[in-house]
Amino acid sequence: MLHDRVLVRLAADEGERRSTGGIVIPATAQVARRLAWGDVLGVGNNVRNVKVSDRVLFNPDDQLEVEIQGEGYLVMRERDIHAVASERTEHGTGLYL
C-alpha cells in the first residue's frame, strides 16, 4: 500500500441479529447507512494510527473495492476510518471498542 492507504477485508457476515428488545432481525433486512467492521491487511508508509491486524470501523459504501486472487477487499484512506478496536494502550484513556 502507498501513502495513507489502508487495505481492509470485511468481517464475515454475522447472519441474523437480535435487537436489544429481543426482536430477531434477518440477515436480508436492509439497514440504512450501516458502518462495518473489517480487518486491516496492509497499510501505507504514511499511516500513523492503524496497524496490520487491527479491526477498524468504516462506511463500506464510500470505499474502493479491489479483487485480489478472487477475494474482495476494500482500499481506503486512513482518514475514512471511524474507530480502531485495538489491544494497544499507548494512546488515549484506556477505553477501547
Side-chain angles (χ1 to χ4, degrees):
M1 302 305 301
L2 296 174
H3 308 296
D4 65 342
R5 304 291 192 225
V6 179
L7 180 69
V8 175
R9 177 180 53 216
L10 280 172
D13 290 332
E14 300 172 0
E16 289 184 346
R17 298 183 313 272
R18 193 171 289 272
S19 73
T20 56
I23 298 171
V24 175
I25 303 169
T28 57
Q30 293 291 332
V31 179
R33 305 247 354 172
R34 183 177 201 121
L35 297 178
W37 287 101
D39 300 315
V40 176
L41 300 178
V43 296
N45 54 353
N46 292 337
V47 174
R48 296 178 286 169
N49 298 315
V50 179
K51 305 284 185 218
V52 173
S53 77
D54 280 348
R55 288 184 53 85
V56 293
L57 184 66
F58 60 94
N59 184 355
D61 296 334
D62 295 337
Q63 308 313 320
L64 301 173
E65 191 170 334
V66 63
E67 187 173 318
I68 301 172
Q69 296 180 351
E71 194 167 340
Y73 300 95
L74 298 174
V75 176
M76 66 187 71
R77 290 179 182 251
E78 182 183 21
R79 69 179 183 201
D80 294 332
I81 294 173
H82 296 283
V84 178
S86 174
E87 297 289 327
R88 292 174 292 154
T89 59
E90 62 259 1
H91 299 296
T93 63
L95 301 175
Y96 300 96
L97 297 177

